[in-house]
Amino acid sequence: MRDYDTSVAFLGQWGRFQLMVFFMLCSTIPPNGMSSFSLVFVTDTPRHRCLVPEVNLSQDWREAVIPMEEVNGELERSQCRRYRLDVVRNLSDMGLVPGRDVNLSSLEQEDCMDGWSYSSEHYQSTVVSEFDLVCSESWKQPFTATVFFLGVLVGSFFSGVLSDRFGRKPVLFATLAVQAVFSLALIASPSWEMLCVLFFFIGLGSISNYISCFVLGTEILTGNARVVYASMGVCVAWALGYMMLPLIAYFLRSWKDLTVAITVPALLYIPFWWVLPESPMWLLSQGRVAEAETIMRRAAKMNRVEAPEKIFADYLIYANTPEAKSAQRYTFIDLLRRRSILATTVILCFVWFTMSICYYGLSLNTSRLHSDPYISCFLSAVVEVPAYSSTCLAVRFLPRRMAVALVFLVVALSLFFIQLVPQSVLEVAVALEMLGKFAATAGTSLLYVFTAELYPTGLRNTASGTCTMVSRTGSCIAPFLLHLNVYFKYLSYVTFGSLAMVSAFVMLFLPESFRRPLPENIQQMHKRQSVTCPCITRRKTSNCVTVLESQL
């Protein structure tokens, strides 16, 4: 039986049909980049202090009512405490001067009984200032981001199941609608609890339409168009949305206005329903050969080429053959049956987990990195474009194991060195964090390739999906790890760097896949992984079927 790419080769690779599919699908990606990282601005914590109501206080006491605290070796006004207001009022009425007539350290302190006053230097409002997620409620700020990533985790699992059941196109547009509707409902949320529920569904819709879009494009396009779309198209489109976010947020300082601005463009995708086709490969897997041929004939007409009389006729014939019925099926259990494969899976899950923590931790930390959060976020987005470009070069010329280990080392060293940078040269600290973000972005792309090359054909999607699911738990934890800087300024950097250093070491215990044939079954994978110590030379197996890496 001819494979799909051979059957549709008459279309060519970069005709009008392929260009239409490429750019229309890529145009749906930027809102995902904006939505995922809008948390940087929407949930940021502005500078704040206890609100002092309009009472009869002298100017000296109004300035001194907020006590000084030592934060990371520097004295700052407290954000969560004030001197007892009734005592201060009495001292002010008596005409006493703070510091001269009254020892402030002897005064009793209290919590912010009247709420907080928030700085408007960068934001008119955020979720934090809207619902007072500070001081004793500060744990709710990272938890809000965690709920979003929990939605991403759940969406990563269910999007594949739904798209396999109902098709790529319906799931793409349904989840685009879910993301848009719940994002607009966000601005009317009456409570923080309801806000979290809405964020969960926004995360679910965001990742689901991204995955559906990615799969739809890779199944429709062929050859070089497929490679460019999968390796650069969706990644650069994501980075483009990420870069647009701080520009929009700079002019819209209210979190509600920003949410509306990044959601409304979803309405532009409604007409795409009548233009974008369903995946012919999915239709063939469902036995709907006539519909798949109809799509291909329309594509041939658009590309101005002649379609053969029967395009997919042999698919129905093959489906009823003993060969097709006896094809070996793999399940998740096959990842656990052999010790060598289990060890590989556990190591890959750990490095995926670490890479996700580093990537999202560095991405969400941009508002704290520089005095201007908009500049920091834009720089964090810009470094993703050269990171994806360098990944394409690394995939062609570098061994996988060495490339990913090197990426982890760059992440670890850049984060460790940040602690040594004096406060007076903040630009160096920013450059080091951007270097870590560059490496984490490139490493994420490399892990997709490396993971797919290690597993046999029937187990490749299951293994990649398992590793991706585990990595999502890392993105859920990342907001809380960033919160560690409350206890020590560089504690989150030390945590990220330590995990990256351990991951660089354990990478050495994975088999190499660079310029080696892709395994076709469990037996071939087991033979390749029978020796996992990197210092022992591996023996080449002669019974492996040669598969070009470019076909992946």
Side-chain angles (χ1 to χ4, degrees):
M1 185 192 75
R2 295 187 302 168
D3 59 26
Y4 175 80
D5 287 5
T6 304
S7 299
V8 300
F10 65 90
L11 284 178
Q13 294 186 15
W14 285 110
R16 293 173 60 190
F17 172 75
Q18 288 90 342
L19 289 172
M20 177 200 71
V21 171
F22 185 96
F23 287 108
M24 290 183 73
L25 288 178
C26 285
S27 69
T28 67
I29 298 295
N32 286 289
M34 289 190 286
S35 175
S36 297
F37 295 110
S38 64
L39 296 169
V40 171
F41 302 107
V42 170
T43 64
D44 196 15
T45 303
R47 296 172 58 187
H48 55 279
R49 56 190 293 184
C50 290
L51 179 65
V52 179
E54 294 296 330
V55 294
N56 188 22
L57 292 178
S58 66
Q59 184 62 31
D60 290 336
W61 278 107
R62 185 167 291 278
E63 294 178 357
V65 69
I66 306 298
M68 301 294 292
E69 293 181 348
E70 185 175 344
V71 180
N72 295 320
E74 298 180 0
L75 288 177
E76 298 180 0
R77 292 286 180 184
S78 174
Q79 296 185 335
C80 300
R81 302 285 289 174
R82 71 183 184 187
Y83 294 117
R84 282 190 56 180
L85 196 58
D86 55 344
V87 174
V88 170
R89 186 185 305 168
N90 292 334
L91 295 174
S92 177
D93 292 341
M94 294 169 60
L96 301 178
V97 178
R100 188 189 69 184
D101 303 324
V102 179
N103 183 6
L104 294 178
S105 61
S106 64
L107 296 181
E108 185 180 353
Q109 298 182 13
E110 64 181 2
D111 295 330
C112 299
M113 310 299 293
D114 300 294
W116 291 264
S117 174
Y118 295 94
S119 170
S120 58
E121 179 183 4
H122 297 302
Y123 311 107
Q124 292 180 5
S125 67
T126 69
V127 167
V128 172
S129 62
E130 180 89 9
F131 298 103
D132 288 331
L133 308 182
V134 293
C135 299
S136 62
E137 301 290 307
S138 61
W139 64 271
K140 293 182 178 180
Q141 189 266 347
F143 186 77
T144 305
T146 295
V147 170
F148 174 86
F149 288 113
L150 283 174
V152 172
L153 189 152
V154 174
S156 300
F157 174 76
F158 283 105
S159 61
V161 176
L162 292 175
S163 63
D164 285 342
R165 174 66 179 85
F166 300 104
R168 308 341 185 183
K169 180 180 172 181
V171 172
L172 169 62
F173 284 91
T175 51
L176 279 171
V178 167
Q179 183 181 355
V181 170
F182 283 95
S183 294
L184 292 176
L186 198 68
I187 63 176
S189 176
S191 65
W192 173 76
E193 290 77 11
M194 179 57 68
L195 188 90
C196 287
V197 173
L198 295 173
F199 263 125
F200 175 85
F201 285 101
I202 293 171
L204 188 150
S206 175
I207 191 63
S208 297
N209 65 61
Y210 177 87
I211 293 176
S212 299
C213 180
F214 182 87
V215 173
L216 182 59
T218 53
E219 290 184 347
I220 293 178
L221 302 174
T222 59
N224 187 52
R226 177 186 293 163
V227 173
V228 174
Y229 176 81
S231 62
M232 290 291 292
V234 291
C235 297
V236 173
W238 171 281
L240 180 63
Y242 191 3
M243 286 188 285
M244 292 169 59
L245 173 65
L247 301 178
I248 298 173
Y250 179 81
F251 294 101
L252 301 175
R253 302 297 180 99
S254 167
W255 74 273
K256 293 185 177 180
D257 293 341
L258 176 61
T259 301
V260 172
I262 64 178
T263 302
V264 168
L267 299 176
L268 300 176
Y269 303 130
I270 294 177
F272 287 13
W273 172 264
W274 290 277
V275 181
L276 279 173
E278 178 58 274
S279 164
M281 292 184 72
W282 179 81
L283 291 172
L284 291 172
S285 70
Q286 304 297 306
R288 295 157 63 175
V289 177
E291 295 178 51
E293 288 201 350
T294 300
I295 292 173
M296 289 297 100
R297 294 190 189 285
R298 290 175 182 172
K301 185 177 180 180
M302 186 177 295
N303 285 0
R304 298 175 182 176
V305 296
E306 187 71 26
E309 184 178 352
K310 295 292 184 180
I311 303 175
F312 301 119
D314 51 353
Y315 273 80
L316 284 177
I317 299 173
Y318 174 75
N320 296 318
T321 61
E323 180 185 357
K325 294 179 180 179
S326 62
Q328 188 174 7
R329 306 291 181 182
Y330 294 113
T331 65
F332 173 79
I333 303 300
D334 291 294
L335 293 174
L336 312 176
R337 285 178 177 169
R338 293 178 183 264
R339 182 177 300 177
S340 61
I341 297 176
L342 174 60
T344 297
T345 303
V346 170
I347 293 175
L348 280 174
C349 285
F350 176 75
V351 297
W352 270 92
F353 173 81
T354 300
M355 192 66 78
S356 182
I357 283 182
C358 293
Y359 176 79
Y360 283 101
L362 294 175
S363 298
L364 297 176
N365 189 53
T366 52
S367 62
R368 304 179 180 92
L369 178 63
H370 190 273
S371 57
D372 191 328
Y374 304 100
I375 293 177
S376 298
C377 185
F378 182 75
L379 292 175
S380 180
V382 166
V383 299
E384 294 207 356
V385 177
Y388 292 129
S389 302
S390 64
T391 300
C392 292
L393 295 175
V395 167
R396 292 186 61 185
F397 301 110
L398 292 180
R400 308 291 185 251
R401 190 172 56 193
M402 183 188 75
V404 178
L406 181 62
V407 161
F408 276 119
L409 282 176
V410 172
V411 172
L413 294 177
S414 62
L415 295 181
F416 286 149
F417 286 150
I418 287 179
Q419 307 170 61
L420 307 178
V421 178
Q423 192 66 27
S424 57
V425 284
L426 184 62
E427 293 77 9
V428 177
V430 173
L432 285 172
E433 181 148 348
M434 291 302 103
L435 177 62
K437 175 63 185 302
F438 171 91
T441 304
T444 301
S445 297
L446 285 171
L447 278 179
Y448 274 104
V449 177
F450 190 31
T451 303
E453 289 178 349
L454 289 178
Y455 290 90
T457 305
L459 199 56
R460 193 166 291 135
N461 283 345
T462 301
S464 299
T466 300
C467 292
T468 304
M469 283 284 292
V470 173
S471 75
R472 298 304 178 189
T473 62
S475 62
C476 294
I477 296 172
F480 281 101
L481 294 181
L482 286 176
H483 204 56
L484 294 175
N485 60 12
V486 173
Y487 307 102
F488 173 58
K489 184 177 181 180
Y490 299 107
L491 186 55
S492 57
Y493 290 139
V494 172
T495 304
F496 296 157
S498 300
L499 286 171
M501 189 64 74
V502 174
S503 296
F505 173 72
V506 300
M507 280 297 302
L508 301 177
F509 294 92
L510 289 174
E512 184 56 75
S513 63
F514 182 55
R515 292 179 179 173
R516 297 191 178 186
L518 298 178
E520 290 290 305
N521 51 54
I522 286 286
Q523 290 72 27
Q524 292 178 7
M525 179 183 179
H526 179 64
K527 288 179 180 179
R528 177 180 293 182
Q529 298 174 339
S530 58
V531 180
T532 58
C533 181
C535 59
I536 299 178
T537 304
R538 303 178 191 277
R539 293 181 302 172
K540 295 183 179 180
T541 56
S542 59
N543 58 339
C544 289
V545 179
T546 301
V547 181
L548 293 177
E549 289 179 277
S550 60
Q551 291 178 350
L552 180 59

